Amino acid sequence: MLKKALESVLTLQESNELISAFDQIGNIIIVRIPDSLLSKKKIIGETLLNEVKIVKSVFYQSSAVDGDFRTRNLEILAGEDNTETEYKEFGCRFIVDVENAFFSPRLSTERERIAKLTQDGEIITNMFAGVGMFSIMAAKKKKCTVYSLDLNPVASKLCERNIAINKLAGKVISINGDASKIIEEQLIDKSDRTLTLLPERSDEFLDSAISTTKSGGIIHYYSHIHADKKSEAGKLTEEHYKKITPVKSEILGSKIVRAVGPRYYQTVVDVKITK
């Protein structure tokens, strides 16, 4: 549908590049546009707005996700200049701000995996929780307690709003602040399961993840890894974790979460630690 709509302004190759580089989140589309097509960004935005009927806003992502608050710059191309929307996943509702708090629809499979691994009675530390999606999905059907930590005050406020609009079997506690300090002050040896959802900086926070995790608990250690062959990425992540961990660890498994660039992957290794 979109290819046909764009054929008057883009070549087939350009259209293919564009369609693989946009996300639809609720009634918002975010599109990453190659430099070669920036002169056509307004007509691209208008076309997407007209063709995807539920969409109210089309934004061009003009910067990468960056900084301690994990935000990005968006430029309105068509429709309403409103970066807040509602997104639904796994039977949960989420209010997200696609510019001012971290959120990615491309982690949905991983969110569902963690939710299914979660057991009744668990205490979970989600160190970089964003708007609380992993936390809320884990607590949707399981009687667990999730400490949902984030440095970005916008993300923490959205997490609180999302807790309020979802019916949970468990409990999610949103705490705004530096994850390492919060763990040191409140959450030492508290967690049965810990998530390190800041893959580009996980090595910096591994000691904190270990500190909050009980002996016998599980850490889901996310990282970015370069691999010449996609099939090798999981094993390379395991090897990296083994080199840097200061505690006895049993590798339970590893997987690619998503590709983040040419021969560059976000991965996760699940480990059971003994202290």
Side-chain angles (χ1 to χ4, degrees), residues 17-270:
E17 288 178 7
L18 185 72
I19 289 169
S20 66
F22 84 74
D23 292 323
Q24 183 177 339
I25 303 162
N27 59 18
I28 291 173
I29 281 178
I30 299 172
V31 62
R32 289 167 291 283
I33 300 176
D35 290 346
S36 60
L37 296 180
L38 284 177
S39 62
K40 300 177 180 178
K41 63 184 179 182
K42 288 291 186 182
I43 193 168
I44 289 169
E46 292 291 348
T47 302
L48 291 172
L49 183 69
N50 291 333
E51 292 297 322
V52 186
K53 297 306 179 186
I54 70 165
V55 167
K56 294 183 178 180
S57 308
V58 180
F59 291 95
Y60 159 55
Q61 181 170 319
S62 56
S63 77
V65 174
D66 196 19
D68 289 341
F69 286 178
R70 294 187 291 169
T71 58
R72 57 186 166 184
N73 295 325
L74 299 178
E75 176 187 335
I76 187 70
L77 296 182
E80 301 174 6
D81 190 1
N82 178 16
T83 58
E84 190 173 291
T85 187
E86 183 175 306
Y87 175 84
K88 297 179 181 179
E89 185 177 293
F90 199 63
C92 300
R93 295 166 56 207
F94 299 99
I95 301 164
V96 301
D97 185 323
V98 294
E99 183 170 38
N100 297 306
F102 177 76
F103 167 75
S104 173
R106 303 186 181 204
L107 298 176
S108 59
T109 301
E110 181 63 9
R111 286 190 281 264
E112 184 176 5
R113 184 181 80 93
I114 295 298
K116 288 181 176 178
L117 288 173
T118 299
Q119 301 297 311
D120 285 338
E122 284 189 350
I123 295 174
I124 300 170
T125 300
N126 186 357
M127 292 178 62
F128 312 102
V131 301
M133 294 195 66
F134 276 85
S135 304
I136 288 167
M137 286 172 65
K140 174 69 175 176
K141 297 180 180 178
K142 302 294 175 63
K143 296 177 182 178
C144 60
T145 299
V146 188
Y147 292 94
S148 198
L149 319 180
D150 205 276
L151 185 63
N152 183 344
V154 174
S156 295
K157 286 292 185 184
L158 288 169
C159 183
E160 292 173 8
R161 291 171 66 186
N162 291 330
I163 293 165
I165 63 174
N166 285 280
K167 185 176 180 181
L168 305 178
K171 184 178 183 181
V172 178
I173 301 166
S174 178
I175 306 176
N176 176 235
D178 179 273
S180 294
K181 291 180 181 178
I182 294 167
I183 287 168
E184 183 180 346
E185 294 169 1
Q186 303 180 43
L187 302 177
I188 296 291
D189 289 329
K190 190 85 172 180
S191 178
D192 299 292
R193 187 180 302 275
T194 300
L195 308 178
T196 68
L197 287 157
L198 189 64
E200 63 272 24
R201 296 178 62 189
S202 284
D203 289 5
E204 294 178 44
F205 293 96
L206 179 57
D207 286 346
S208 294
I210 291 167
S211 293
T212 192
T213 308
K214 301 173 185 175
S215 185
I218 294 169
I219 296 174
H220 300 286
Y221 175 81
Y222 295 87
S223 62
H224 285 164
I225 199 85
H226 177 273
D228 290 329
K229 295 181 180 178
K230 184 177 180 180
S231 59
E232 296 174 349
K235 185 59 68 176
L236 288 170
T237 300
E238 293 179 19
E239 292 172 359
H240 175 73
Y241 173 84
K242 289 175 184 176
K243 286 179 183 177
I244 66 169
T245 185
V247 296
K248 182 179 178 182
S249 302
E250 176 189 353
I251 304 292
L252 304 177
S254 60
K255 67 185 286 285
I256 293 172
V257 177
R258 58 175 177 160
V260 292
R263 296 186 295 279
Y264 202 50
Y265 303 94
Q266 181 179 340
T267 58
V268 59
V269 55
D270 302 336

